[in-house]
Amino acid sequence: MPLQLTIRRAQPADIPQIAAIERVAFTDPWDEKTLRESLAFYPESFFVAKDNGSIAGFVAGGVEDTGEEVYGHIMNLAVAPDYRRRGVGQQLIRRLEQEYAILGASGVQLEVRIGNAGAQEFYRRLGYREVFQIASYYANDEDALVMMKWFRF
């Protein structure tokens, strides 16, 4: 059955469904409090993909201003198991990138586990490139690979 996706900004009422997806997707998931704080801090860059009333996935990001550059930061992306490999993650990333461009960002940064080859390939297909590694970034001491995509206007 084809998806009837709608992408919109997340709302506080979405957090329980988002948290359920988060728990299935990650070994060290964000809790509801962290998800609520992220939504409160960055409401303009926290999106959900809905399919017939169910949340299929979400992306949470923020905007960082270094004083010289403004860039987007993808902090969290997860798709419910039944919706994986169906373009949901790509649509969420594209919507977030669009928001970052509107907000004046020159690019987007993210961190991904060094052992998560599938996620790294997903981001490469969307134009992200490896920049550097951060040692022991995750709770289990796994290194992170920092990836970036620069906008060209």
Side-chain angles (χ1 to χ4, degrees), residues 15-78:
I15 295 294
Q17 280 188 74
I18 291 169
I21 293 169
E22 177 79 359
R23 284 190 298 273
V24 172
F26 298 109
T27 55
D28 56 347
W30 287 9
D31 58 18
E32 283 198 30
K33 180 177 184 278
T34 303
L35 289 162
R36 286 185 194 286
E37 287 172 353
S38 179
L39 179 57
F41 285 131
Y42 302 110
E44 74 283 351
S45 53
F46 195 140
F47 294 94
V48 293
K50 294 198 79 175
D51 177 50
N52 291 322
S54 296
I55 294 180
F58 72 93
V59 65
V63 175
E64 299 178 19
D65 187 343
T66 66
E68 294 181 15
E69 294 272 0
V70 174
Y71 61 94
H73 187 175
I74 299 171
M75 300 183 300
N76 200 334
L77 169 70

Short mmCIF file of all heavy atoms in Angstrom, two decimals, residues 15-78:
data_model
loop_
_atom_site.label_atom_id
_atom_site.label_comp_id
_atom_site.label_asym_id
_atom_site.label_seq_id
_atom_site.Cartn_x
_atom_site.Cartn_y
_atom_site.Cartn_z
N ILE A 15 4.95 13.32 21.36
CA ILE A 15 6.12 12.79 22.05
C ILE A 15 5.98 11.31 22.46
O ILE A 15 6.93 10.55 22.27
CB ILE A 15 6.52 13.69 23.25
CG1 ILE A 15 6.97 15.07 22.75
CG2 ILE A 15 7.60 13.04 24.11
CD1 ILE A 15 8.23 15.11 21.91
N PRO A 16 4.85 10.85 23.00
CA PRO A 16 4.78 9.42 23.35
C PRO A 16 5.02 8.49 22.15
O PRO A 16 5.75 7.51 22.28
CB PRO A 16 3.36 9.26 23.92
CG PRO A 16 3.06 10.62 24.50
CD PRO A 16 3.68 11.59 23.52
N GLN A 17 4.44 8.81 20.98
CA GLN A 17 4.68 7.98 19.79
C GLN A 17 6.12 8.09 19.32
O GLN A 17 6.72 7.10 18.90
CB GLN A 17 3.74 8.38 18.65
CG GLN A 17 2.34 7.83 18.74
CD GLN A 17 1.55 8.13 17.47
OE1 GLN A 17 1.79 7.52 16.45
NE2 GLN A 17 0.64 9.09 17.55
N ILE A 18 6.69 9.30 19.39
CA ILE A 18 8.09 9.50 19.01
C ILE A 18 8.99 8.69 19.93
O ILE A 18 9.91 8.00 19.48
CB ILE A 18 8.45 11.00 19.05
CG1 ILE A 18 7.73 11.75 17.93
CG2 ILE A 18 9.96 11.20 18.97
CD1 ILE A 18 7.80 13.27 18.04
N ALA A 19 8.71 8.72 21.23
CA ALA A 19 9.52 7.98 22.20
C ALA A 19 9.45 6.48 21.95
O ALA A 19 10.44 5.77 22.10
CB ALA A 19 9.08 8.32 23.63
N ALA A 20 8.28 5.98 21.55
CA ALA A 20 8.14 4.56 21.26
C ALA A 20 9.02 4.17 20.06
O ALA A 20 9.68 3.12 20.07
CB ALA A 20 6.67 4.22 20.99
N ILE A 21 9.04 4.99 19.02
CA ILE A 21 9.90 4.74 17.86
C ILE A 21 11.36 4.79 18.29
O ILE A 21 12.18 3.94 17.91
CB ILE A 21 9.63 5.76 16.74
CG1 ILE A 21 8.22 5.55 16.16
CG2 ILE A 21 10.68 5.66 15.63
CD1 ILE A 21 7.74 6.66 15.24
N GLU A 22 11.71 5.76 19.10
CA GLU A 22 13.07 5.95 19.61
C GLU A 22 13.56 4.70 20.36
O GLU A 22 14.69 4.25 20.17
CB GLU A 22 13.09 7.19 20.51
CG GLU A 22 14.39 7.49 21.17
CD GLU A 22 15.40 8.17 20.26
OE1 GLU A 22 15.13 8.42 19.08
OE2 GLU A 22 16.50 8.46 20.76
N ARG A 23 12.69 4.14 21.20
CA ARG A 23 13.09 2.97 22.00
C ARG A 23 13.37 1.75 21.12
O ARG A 23 14.24 0.95 21.44
CB ARG A 23 12.00 2.64 23.03
CG ARG A 23 12.00 3.59 24.22
CD ARG A 23 11.09 3.11 25.33
NE ARG A 23 9.68 3.02 24.95
CZ ARG A 23 8.82 4.03 25.02
NH1 ARG A 23 9.21 5.22 25.44
NH2 ARG A 23 7.57 3.86 24.66
N VAL A 24 12.63 1.61 20.03
CA VAL A 24 12.84 0.48 19.12
C VAL A 24 14.09 0.69 18.27
O VAL A 24 14.79 -0.26 17.92
CB VAL A 24 11.59 0.30 18.21
CG1 VAL A 24 11.85 -0.72 17.13
CG2 VAL A 24 10.38 -0.09 19.03
N ALA A 25 14.39 1.95 17.94
CA ALA A 25 15.45 2.25 16.99
C ALA A 25 16.85 2.24 17.59
O ALA A 25 17.81 1.96 16.88
CB ALA A 25 15.18 3.62 16.33
N PHE A 26 16.99 2.58 18.87
CA PHE A 26 18.31 2.81 19.43
C PHE A 26 18.58 2.01 20.71
O PHE A 26 17.66 1.80 21.50
CB PHE A 26 18.51 4.31 19.74
CG PHE A 26 18.44 5.17 18.52
CD1 PHE A 26 17.35 6.00 18.31
CD2 PHE A 26 19.43 5.15 17.56
CE1 PHE A 26 17.27 6.80 17.18
CE2 PHE A 26 19.36 5.94 16.42
CZ PHE A 26 18.27 6.77 16.24
N THR A 27 19.83 1.63 20.91
CA THR A 27 20.22 0.94 22.14
C THR A 27 20.32 1.90 23.31
O THR A 27 20.19 1.49 24.46
CB THR A 27 21.58 0.23 21.96
OG1 THR A 27 22.55 1.19 21.53
CG2 THR A 27 21.49 -0.88 20.93
N ASP A 28 20.54 3.19 23.01
CA ASP A 28 20.58 4.21 24.08
C ASP A 28 19.64 5.35 23.71
O ASP A 28 20.06 6.45 23.40
CB ASP A 28 22.01 4.71 24.30
CG ASP A 28 22.65 5.26 23.05
OD1 ASP A 28 22.11 5.04 21.94
OD2 ASP A 28 23.69 5.94 23.16
N PRO A 29 18.33 5.07 23.73
CA PRO A 29 17.35 6.05 23.25
C PRO A 29 17.24 7.28 24.13
O PRO A 29 17.51 7.23 25.33
CB PRO A 29 16.03 5.27 23.27
CG PRO A 29 16.22 4.25 24.34
CD PRO A 29 17.68 3.87 24.27
N TRP A 30 16.85 8.38 23.49
CA TRP A 30 16.48 9.57 24.25
C TRP A 30 15.20 9.23 25.02
O TRP A 30 14.31 8.54 24.50
CB TRP A 30 16.18 10.73 23.32
CG TRP A 30 17.36 11.36 22.65
CD1 TRP A 30 18.65 10.91 22.64
CD2 TRP A 30 17.35 12.55 21.87
NE1 TRP A 30 19.44 11.76 21.90
CE2 TRP A 30 18.66 12.78 21.42
CE3 TRP A 30 16.35 13.45 21.51
CZ2 TRP A 30 19.00 13.87 20.64
CZ3 TRP A 30 16.68 14.53 20.73
CH2 TRP A 30 17.99 14.75 20.30
N ASP A 31 15.07 9.75 26.23
CA ASP A 31 13.84 9.56 26.98
C ASP A 31 12.84 10.66 26.62
O ASP A 31 13.17 11.60 25.90
CB ASP A 31 14.11 9.49 28.48
CG ASP A 31 14.79 10.73 29.03
OD1 ASP A 31 14.76 11.81 28.37
OD2 ASP A 31 15.34 10.64 30.14
N GLU A 32 11.62 10.53 27.13
CA GLU A 32 10.58 11.51 26.80
C GLU A 32 10.97 12.92 27.22
O GLU A 32 10.69 13.89 26.52
CB GLU A 32 9.23 11.12 27.40
CG GLU A 32 8.55 10.01 26.63
CD GLU A 32 7.06 9.90 26.93
OE1 GLU A 32 6.42 10.91 27.26
OE2 GLU A 32 6.55 8.77 26.80
N LYS A 33 11.64 13.05 28.36
CA LYS A 33 12.06 14.37 28.85
C LYS A 33 13.02 15.02 27.85
O LYS A 33 12.86 16.21 27.52
CB LYS A 33 12.72 14.23 30.21
CG LYS A 33 13.21 15.53 30.82
CD LYS A 33 13.80 15.29 32.22
CE LYS A 33 14.21 16.58 32.87
NZ LYS A 33 15.53 17.04 32.44
N THR A 34 13.99 14.28 27.36
CA THR A 34 14.96 14.81 26.39
C THR A 34 14.26 15.19 25.09
O THR A 34 14.55 16.24 24.51
CB THR A 34 16.07 13.78 26.13
OG1 THR A 34 16.68 13.46 27.39
CG2 THR A 34 17.11 14.31 25.17
N LEU A 35 13.33 14.35 24.65
CA LEU A 35 12.58 14.65 23.43
C LEU A 35 11.75 15.93 23.61
O LEU A 35 11.72 16.79 22.72
CB LEU A 35 11.68 13.48 23.05
CG LEU A 35 12.43 12.25 22.51
CD1 LEU A 35 11.55 11.01 22.59
CD2 LEU A 35 12.92 12.49 21.09
N ARG A 36 11.10 16.07 24.77
CA ARG A 36 10.31 17.28 25.04
C ARG A 36 11.19 18.53 25.09
O ARG A 36 10.82 19.59 24.57
CB ARG A 36 9.54 17.14 26.36
CG ARG A 36 8.35 16.21 26.26
CD ARG A 36 7.53 16.17 27.54
NE ARG A 36 6.63 15.03 27.51
CZ ARG A 36 5.53 14.96 26.77
NH1 ARG A 36 5.19 15.97 26.00
NH2 ARG A 36 4.77 13.89 26.78
N GLU A 37 12.37 18.40 25.70
CA GLU A 37 13.30 19.54 25.75
C GLU A 37 13.77 19.93 24.35
O GLU A 37 13.86 21.11 24.02
CB GLU A 37 14.50 19.20 26.64
CG GLU A 37 14.16 19.18 28.11
CD GLU A 37 15.29 18.66 28.98
OE1 GLU A 37 16.33 18.18 28.46
OE2 GLU A 37 15.14 18.73 30.22
N SER A 38 14.06 18.94 23.53
CA SER A 38 14.49 19.21 22.16
C SER A 38 13.40 19.95 21.40
O SER A 38 13.67 20.93 20.69
CB SER A 38 14.84 17.89 21.46
OG SER A 38 15.24 18.13 20.14
N LEU A 39 12.17 19.51 21.55
CA LEU A 39 11.04 20.16 20.89
C LEU A 39 10.87 21.60 21.41
O LEU A 39 10.62 22.52 20.63
CB LEU A 39 9.76 19.36 21.09
CG LEU A 39 8.49 19.94 20.47
CD1 LEU A 39 8.63 20.16 18.97
CD2 LEU A 39 7.31 19.01 20.78
N ALA A 40 11.05 21.79 22.70
CA ALA A 40 10.91 23.13 23.29
C ALA A 40 12.00 24.08 22.80
O ALA A 40 11.75 25.24 22.51
CB ALA A 40 10.91 23.05 24.81
N PHE A 41 13.23 23.58 22.71
CA PHE A 41 14.36 24.42 22.28
C PHE A 41 14.34 24.70 20.78
O PHE A 41 14.71 25.78 20.34
CB PHE A 41 15.70 23.76 22.62
CG PHE A 41 16.07 23.84 24.07
CD1 PHE A 41 16.49 22.70 24.74
CD2 PHE A 41 16.01 25.02 24.78
CE1 PHE A 41 16.84 22.75 26.08
CE2 PHE A 41 16.35 25.08 26.12
CZ PHE A 41 16.77 23.94 26.78
N TYR A 42 13.95 23.71 19.98
CA TYR A 42 14.03 23.82 18.52
C TYR A 42 12.73 23.42 17.84
O TYR A 42 12.70 22.49 17.03
CB TYR A 42 15.17 22.95 17.98
CG TYR A 42 16.52 23.28 18.54
CD1 TYR A 42 17.16 22.41 19.41
CD2 TYR A 42 17.17 24.46 18.18
CE1 TYR A 42 18.43 22.70 19.91
CE2 TYR A 42 18.43 24.77 18.69
CZ TYR A 42 19.06 23.88 19.55
OH TYR A 42 20.29 24.18 20.04
N PRO A 43 11.62 24.10 18.15
CA PRO A 43 10.34 23.69 17.57
C PRO A 43 10.30 23.84 16.04
O PRO A 43 9.55 23.13 15.38
CB PRO A 43 9.33 24.62 18.25
CG PRO A 43 10.12 25.82 18.65
CD PRO A 43 11.49 25.29 19.00
N GLU A 44 11.11 24.75 15.49
CA GLU A 44 11.08 24.97 14.04
C GLU A 44 11.80 23.87 13.27
O GLU A 44 11.63 23.77 12.05
CB GLU A 44 11.69 26.34 13.70
CG GLU A 44 13.21 26.42 13.81
CD GLU A 44 13.74 26.53 15.25
OE1 GLU A 44 12.95 26.71 16.19
OE2 GLU A 44 14.97 26.43 15.41
N SER A 45 12.58 23.03 13.96
CA SER A 45 13.35 22.01 13.24
C SER A 45 13.18 20.63 13.85
O SER A 45 14.11 19.83 13.93
CB SER A 45 14.83 22.42 13.17
OG SER A 45 15.33 22.71 14.45
N PHE A 46 11.97 20.33 14.28
CA PHE A 46 11.62 19.00 14.81
C PHE A 46 10.36 18.58 14.04
O PHE A 46 9.31 19.19 14.19
CB PHE A 46 11.35 19.09 16.30
CG PHE A 46 11.33 17.78 17.05
CD1 PHE A 46 11.90 17.69 18.31
CD2 PHE A 46 10.74 16.64 16.52
CE1 PHE A 46 11.88 16.51 19.03
CE2 PHE A 46 10.71 15.45 17.22
CZ PHE A 46 11.29 15.39 18.49
N PHE A 47 10.51 17.57 13.17
CA PHE A 47 9.43 17.18 12.28
C PHE A 47 9.02 15.72 12.48
O PHE A 47 9.85 14.89 12.86
CB PHE A 47 9.84 17.36 10.81
CG PHE A 47 10.06 18.78 10.42
CD1 PHE A 47 11.33 19.35 10.46
CD2 PHE A 47 9.00 19.58 10.00
CE1 PHE A 47 11.55 20.68 10.10
CE2 PHE A 47 9.20 20.91 9.65
CZ PHE A 47 10.48 21.45 9.69
N VAL A 48 7.76 15.44 12.19
CA VAL A 48 7.26 14.07 12.15
C VAL A 48 6.71 13.79 10.76
O VAL A 48 6.24 14.70 10.08
CB VAL A 48 6.16 13.80 13.21
CG1 VAL A 48 6.73 13.88 14.61
CG2 VAL A 48 4.98 14.72 13.04
N ALA A 49 6.81 12.52 10.38
CA ALA A 49 6.17 12.04 9.16
C ALA A 49 4.98 11.20 9.61
O ALA A 49 5.16 10.24 10.37
CB ALA A 49 7.14 11.20 8.33
N LYS A 50 3.80 11.57 9.15
CA LYS A 50 2.59 10.83 9.53
C LYS A 50 2.02 10.12 8.32
O LYS A 50 2.05 10.63 7.21
CB LYS A 50 1.54 11.79 10.11
CG LYS A 50 2.01 12.41 11.43
CD LYS A 50 0.88 13.00 12.21
CE LYS A 50 0.14 11.91 12.93
NZ LYS A 50 -0.91 12.40 13.82
N ASP A 51 1.53 8.92 8.56
CA ASP A 51 0.89 8.11 7.54
C ASP A 51 -0.44 7.64 8.12
O ASP A 51 -0.46 6.83 9.05
CB ASP A 51 1.77 6.91 7.17
CG ASP A 51 1.11 5.99 6.16
OD1 ASP A 51 0.63 6.50 5.12
OD2 ASP A 51 1.06 4.77 6.40
N ASN A 52 -1.54 8.17 7.60
CA ASN A 52 -2.87 7.81 8.09
C ASN A 52 -2.98 7.89 9.61
O ASN A 52 -3.46 6.97 10.25
CB ASN A 52 -3.25 6.40 7.61
CG ASN A 52 -3.47 6.36 6.12
OD1 ASN A 52 -4.03 7.29 5.55
ND2 ASN A 52 -3.04 5.30 5.48
N GLY A 53 -2.47 8.96 10.19
CA GLY A 53 -2.61 9.18 11.63
C GLY A 53 -1.51 8.59 12.49
O GLY A 53 -1.40 8.94 13.66
N SER A 54 -0.71 7.68 11.94
CA SER A 54 0.39 7.11 12.71
C SER A 54 1.69 7.83 12.39
O SER A 54 1.93 8.21 11.25
CB SER A 54 0.59 5.63 12.35
OG SER A 54 -0.54 4.89 12.71
N ILE A 55 2.52 8.00 13.40
CA ILE A 55 3.83 8.60 13.16
C ILE A 55 4.75 7.52 12.60
O ILE A 55 4.99 6.50 13.24
CB ILE A 55 4.40 9.25 14.43
CG1 ILE A 55 3.50 10.45 14.81
CG2 ILE A 55 5.85 9.69 14.21
CD1 ILE A 55 3.94 11.19 16.05
N ALA A 56 5.24 7.76 11.39
CA ALA A 56 6.11 6.81 10.70
C ALA A 56 7.57 7.04 11.06
O ALA A 56 8.40 6.14 10.98
CB ALA A 56 5.92 6.92 9.19
N GLY A 57 7.89 8.27 11.44
CA GLY A 57 9.27 8.62 11.78
C GLY A 57 9.35 10.06 12.21
O GLY A 57 8.38 10.81 12.13
N PHE A 58 10.55 10.45 12.65
CA PHE A 58 10.76 11.83 13.08
C PHE A 58 12.21 12.22 12.88
O PHE A 58 13.09 11.37 12.75
CB PHE A 58 10.37 12.00 14.55
CG PHE A 58 11.34 11.38 15.52
CD1 PHE A 58 12.37 12.12 16.07
CD2 PHE A 58 11.23 10.04 15.86
CE1 PHE A 58 13.28 11.55 16.94
CE2 PHE A 58 12.13 9.46 16.73
CZ PHE A 58 13.16 10.21 17.28
N VAL A 59 12.42 13.51 12.84
CA VAL A 59 13.78 14.06 12.81
C VAL A 59 13.79 15.26 13.74
O VAL A 59 12.86 16.07 13.73
CB VAL A 59 14.24 14.43 11.38
CG1 VAL A 59 13.41 15.55 10.77
CG2 VAL A 59 15.72 14.78 11.36
N ALA A 60 14.84 15.33 14.57
CA ALA A 60 15.01 16.45 15.49
C ALA A 60 16.33 17.12 15.18
O ALA A 60 17.36 16.44 15.05
CB ALA A 60 14.99 15.95 16.94
N GLY A 61 16.29 18.41 15.03
CA GLY A 61 17.51 19.14 14.73
C GLY A 61 17.54 20.47 15.45
O GLY A 61 16.58 20.86 16.12
N GLY A 62 18.65 21.14 15.29
CA GLY A 62 18.81 22.46 15.87
C GLY A 62 19.63 23.32 14.94
O GLY A 62 20.21 22.83 13.98
N VAL A 63 19.66 24.60 15.23
CA VAL A 63 20.46 25.55 14.44
C VAL A 63 21.56 26.07 15.35
O VAL A 63 21.30 26.43 16.50
CB VAL A 63 19.59 26.70 13.90
CG1 VAL A 63 20.44 27.74 13.20
CG2 VAL A 63 18.52 26.16 12.97
N GLU A 64 22.76 26.08 14.83
CA GLU A 64 23.90 26.56 15.60
C GLU A 64 24.55 27.71 14.84
O GLU A 64 24.72 27.65 13.64
CB GLU A 64 24.88 25.41 15.83
CG GLU A 64 24.21 24.29 16.63
CD GLU A 64 25.09 23.09 16.87
OE1 GLU A 64 26.32 23.21 16.76
OE2 GLU A 64 24.54 22.03 17.18
N ASP A 65 24.87 28.76 15.59
CA ASP A 65 25.49 29.95 15.01
C ASP A 65 26.85 30.12 15.66
O ASP A 65 26.94 30.41 16.86
CB ASP A 65 24.60 31.16 15.27
CG ASP A 65 25.08 32.41 14.56
OD1 ASP A 65 26.26 32.47 14.14
OD2 ASP A 65 24.27 33.35 14.44
N THR A 66 27.90 29.97 14.87
CA THR A 66 29.27 30.08 15.41
C THR A 66 29.74 31.52 15.46
O THR A 66 30.84 31.80 15.94
CB THR A 66 30.26 29.28 14.54
OG1 THR A 66 30.34 29.90 13.25
CG2 THR A 66 29.85 27.84 14.40
N GLY A 67 28.94 32.44 14.93
CA GLY A 67 29.36 33.82 14.80
C GLY A 67 29.88 34.10 13.40
O GLY A 67 29.79 35.21 12.91
N GLU A 68 30.41 33.07 12.76
CA GLU A 68 30.87 33.18 11.37
C GLU A 68 29.97 32.41 10.42
O GLU A 68 29.79 32.79 9.28
CB GLU A 68 32.31 32.66 11.24
CG GLU A 68 33.31 33.51 11.98
CD GLU A 68 34.73 32.97 11.82
OE1 GLU A 68 34.96 32.14 10.93
OE2 GLU A 68 35.59 33.40 12.60
N GLU A 69 29.44 31.30 10.91
CA GLU A 69 28.58 30.44 10.08
C GLU A 69 27.34 30.06 10.88
O GLU A 69 27.41 29.89 12.10
CB GLU A 69 29.31 29.13 9.72
CG GLU A 69 30.49 29.27 8.82
CD GLU A 69 30.13 29.22 7.35
OE1 GLU A 69 28.94 29.07 7.01
OE2 GLU A 69 31.05 29.33 6.54
N VAL A 70 26.25 29.89 10.16
CA VAL A 70 25.04 29.30 10.74
C VAL A 70 24.91 27.94 10.07
O VAL A 70 25.04 27.83 8.84
CB VAL A 70 23.79 30.16 10.45
CG1 VAL A 70 22.53 29.44 10.92
CG2 VAL A 70 23.92 31.53 11.09
N TYR A 71 24.73 26.91 10.85
CA TYR A 71 24.55 25.59 10.25
C TYR A 71 23.51 24.80 11.03
O TYR A 71 23.28 25.04 12.21
CB TYR A 71 25.86 24.83 10.11
CG TYR A 71 26.59 24.54 11.39
CD1 TYR A 71 26.40 23.33 12.06
CD2 TYR A 71 27.46 25.46 11.95
CE1 TYR A 71 27.06 23.06 13.23
CE2 TYR A 71 28.12 25.20 13.13
CZ TYR A 71 27.92 23.99 13.77
OH TYR A 71 28.56 23.74 14.94
N GLY A 72 22.91 23.87 10.33
CA GLY A 72 21.94 22.98 10.95
C GLY A 72 22.65 21.80 11.57
O GLY A 72 23.74 21.42 11.13
N HIS A 73 22.04 21.22 12.57
CA HIS A 73 22.59 20.05 13.24
C HIS A 73 21.48 19.02 13.35
O HIS A 73 20.47 19.28 13.99
CB HIS A 73 23.11 20.44 14.62
CG HIS A 73 23.85 19.36 15.32
ND1 HIS A 73 24.47 19.55 16.52
CD2 HIS A 73 24.07 18.07 15.00
CE1 HIS A 73 25.05 18.42 16.91
NE2 HIS A 73 24.80 17.51 15.99
N ILE A 74 21.66 17.89 12.68
CA ILE A 74 20.70 16.79 12.81
C ILE A 74 21.06 16.04 14.08
O ILE A 74 22.14 15.46 14.18
CB ILE A 74 20.74 15.84 11.59
CG1 ILE A 74 20.38 16.61 10.32
CG2 ILE A 74 19.80 14.65 11.82
CD1 ILE A 74 20.60 15.83 9.04
N MET A 75 20.18 16.09 15.06
CA MET A 75 20.46 15.49 16.36
C MET A 75 19.89 14.08 16.48
O MET A 75 20.42 13.26 17.21
CB MET A 75 19.91 16.38 17.47
CG MET A 75 20.54 17.78 17.47
SD MET A 75 19.99 18.85 18.81
CE MET A 75 18.23 18.96 18.54
N ASN A 76 18.79 13.81 15.78
CA ASN A 76 18.13 12.53 15.94
C ASN A 76 17.23 12.27 14.74
O ASN A 76 16.52 13.17 14.29
CB ASN A 76 17.29 12.54 17.23
CG ASN A 76 16.96 11.17 17.74
OD1 ASN A 76 16.91 10.21 16.99
ND2 ASN A 76 16.73 11.07 19.04
N LEU A 77 17.27 11.05 14.24
CA LEU A 77 16.40 10.61 13.15
C LEU A 77 16.06 9.16 13.40
O LEU A 77 16.96 8.35 13.66
CB LEU A 77 17.13 10.73 11.80
CG LEU A 77 16.45 10.06 10.60
CD1 LEU A 77 15.19 10.79 10.20
CD2 LEU A 77 17.41 9.99 9.43
N ALA A 78 14.79 8.84 13.38
CA ALA A 78 14.38 7.44 13.53
C ALA A 78 13.08 7.22 12.76
O ALA A 78 12.23 8.09 12.68
CB ALA A 78 14.17 7.08 15.00
#
